[in-house]
Amino acid sequence: EQTRYWEAAALFNLLYRDNPDSTEGKGAFLQRVMLLFELDQADEAIAISKEYIERNTSGLYPRLVCTQLMQHYLALRQYDEALSLVVYMDRWARPANDEELNQETNLRYMVGFTHFQAGNYEKAYAAFDRVFRISPESQAGMDTGYWKAMCLLLQMKYEEAYDAFVTYREAWPRAAFAPAALFRAGVCRFGLEDYTGAQASFQEFVDAYPRDTLMPEALTMLADLQAADGKIDDALGNYRRAIDLVKANYARQTDPLLKKQVVVPATYAVAQAAQALEADAKVYREEKEDLVATEKLREIIVLIEDYLDTFAEDSEFSLGVFWIGRARIQLGEVDLAVSSYLDAII
């Protein structure tokens, strides 16, 4: 099987050498590059690809070959090598047709993502803006509105980012990133310490996108703001909704690494709910309503035990032990608290 692949690579080389300027020859060269990457001959594939895009500065195939290089570098997270390809792109003649334009648009979009993943948000913004200018009606061109807003958010330019998210969502209300844009708009208001505006954005998100993957995060953000306003019951309701959503997502997930990541919003929600319940218990104690205060502390224990049982090894065990022990001490159950701490240590 391996021998046949090498024979195919040799054949593609012959076809290209005999007809380098024909569509068949160019296609054969591209197939050879792809096959070399498939055969783990990356050094040879990179060398001949760079030589090709150095010599050819117009047409579809330099863009296709460059795409192979870009995908290879990004798969290995070799961001500097990926960005070095921009030098070749900048030498290209303008796209002569829609096919060339689409390939260049996708490549420029990948450049933006490369800067973004490397944390170079100013350069990412400029790269995404270039995509929009060369192909505003393409899917990539539309999506750049969201990613430019993300670049501003991650630079903590909250006001500009907020305006950009709102503008994007108004322009493309049914776009794939429209829900995320509303959520991030709430994050921007939070960053601006406009907690009323943030709460309104998160509430709108929760009402509009109940099945979105960002729902657990939106619910916990909303609950945090409600708790800060003293709306403890509303906050606890939303913390519990977030935890229930995570439970459902966790049950569906099979990948061990992803299961660990799925639990993160529930861990945060449980900790925040425990803190809210403790604060509520303190208020009731001060008002001499000891039975209600005791009930709130018991709720902490039940909540945490359910969290530990549900997520098992993917839970934050130390967090659970801390809150169970803390609640038991406030209930006067010091021996049980000490036992919980000892079990954790042993």
Side-chain angles (χ1 to χ4, degrees):
E1 188 81 22
Q2 191 85 343
T3 303
R4 288 158 121 191
Y5 284 143
W6 280 111
E7 289 174 352
L11 176 60
F12 289 140
N13 187 38
L14 285 173
L15 289 171
Y16 171 67
R17 189 184 64 187
D18 292 343
N19 302 281
D21 297 323
S22 69
T23 301
E24 292 78 9
K26 295 173 184 177
F29 181 84
L30 178 63
Q31 290 296 322
R32 182 187 175 205
V33 169
M34 295 169 66
L35 196 52
L36 286 171
F37 278 126
E38 184 71 24
L39 292 167
D40 292 326
Q41 299 298 309
D43 289 344
E44 184 178 355
I46 291 168
I48 65 171
S49 295
K50 285 190 173 180
E51 182 184 356
Y52 183 86
I53 59 177
E54 177 73 38
R55 289 187 289 104
N56 295 276
T57 57
S58 64
L60 177 62
Y61 282 92
R63 293 170 168 88
L64 291 171
V65 171
C66 195
T67 297
Q68 292 297 313
L69 285 172
M70 179 69 80
Q71 291 174 339
H72 170 74
Y73 288 137
L74 292 183
L76 297 176
R77 298 186 179 182
Q78 295 177 345
Y79 299 137
D80 289 343
E81 288 82 354
L83 292 172
S84 71
L85 299 174
V86 175
V87 172
Y88 300 100
M89 298 180 205
D90 288 344
R91 296 173 186 160
W92 290 340
R94 292 174 63 86
N97 52 50
D98 287 344
E99 195 173 8
E100 291 179 18
L101 178 61
N102 289 339
Q103 284 298 322
E104 183 158 350
T105 298
N106 291 333
L107 268 169
R108 296 287 183 181
Y109 194 62
M110 284 192 275
V111 169
F113 264 114
T114 305
H115 282 303
F116 188 87
Q117 291 171 321
N120 301 322
Y121 300 120
E122 287 187 15
K123 291 181 178 179
Y125 185 98
F128 286 131
D129 192 54
R130 181 166 186 169
V131 171
F132 180 77
R133 283 187 281 109
I134 65 173
S135 189
E137 299 302 320
S138 67
Q139 185 63 56
M142 290 186 283
D143 289 347
T144 57
Y146 174 79
W147 291 109
K148 287 195 292 182
M150 282 295 294
C151 290
L152 294 169
L153 172 59
L154 290 167
Q155 293 177 81
M156 294 187 290
K157 298 178 179 179
Y158 297 123
E159 196 70 65
E160 292 176 63
Y162 175 79
D163 291 342
F165 283 124
V166 170
T167 299
Y168 167 79
R169 188 163 173 265
E170 287 176 347
W172 315 107
R174 292 182 176 81
F177 292 116
L182 177 56
F183 175 81
R184 305 296 178 195
V187 173
C188 292
R189 298 323 301 173
F190 188 88
L192 289 164
E193 300 183 6
D194 172 15
Y195 303 125
T196 301
Q199 189 166 330
S201 292
F202 293 130
Q203 186 65 64
E204 184 181 356
F205 179 95
V206 167
D207 294 340
Y209 306 111
R211 297 185 179 182
D212 192 84
T213 55
L214 285 169
M215 264 294 282
E217 287 83 354
L219 285 165
T220 53
M221 292 287 283
L222 177 59
D224 284 349
L225 292 163
Q226 290 169 330
D229 278 348
K231 302 172 184 175
I232 302 299
D233 288 342
D234 289 341
L236 288 171
N238 283 321
Y239 287 134
R240 289 192 173 101
R241 281 183 68 188
I243 294 164
D244 288 342
L245 280 172
V246 173
K247 283 181 180 179
N249 294 337
Y250 184 78
R252 289 192 295 266
Q253 187 56 253
T254 56
D255 185 285
L257 291 177
L258 292 178
K259 284 178 83 74
K260 192 81 174 175
Q261 293 173 16
V262 164
V263 175
V264 172
T267 301
Y268 179 81
V270 161
Q272 293 298 98
Q275 189 172 321
L277 284 165
E278 183 185 53
D280 217 13
K282 181 180 179 182
V283 171
Y284 282 111
R285 277 200 309 272
E286 290 171 352
E287 294 175 353
K288 308 301 182 184
E289 296 190 43
D290 292 338
L291 287 176
V292 181
T294 297
E295 182 183 325
K296 297 294 180 182
L297 293 170
R298 295 273 179 219
E299 281 187 59
I300 293 175
I301 296 170
V302 171
L303 180 73
I304 296 295
E305 286 180 341
D306 179 65
Y307 163 77
L308 293 173
D309 290 343
T310 300
F311 301 116
E313 68 272 10
D314 293 318
S315 66
E316 290 290 339
F317 185 68
S318 59
L319 175 75
V321 170
F322 168 80
W323 274 109
I324 289 174
R326 186 180 176 95
R328 290 200 185 283
I329 288 171
Q330 292 179 69
L331 287 165
E333 300 171 352
V334 177
D335 289 345
L336 288 173
V338 171
S339 178
S340 296
Y341 291 140
L342 288 174
D343 287 345
I345 294 170
I346 295 171

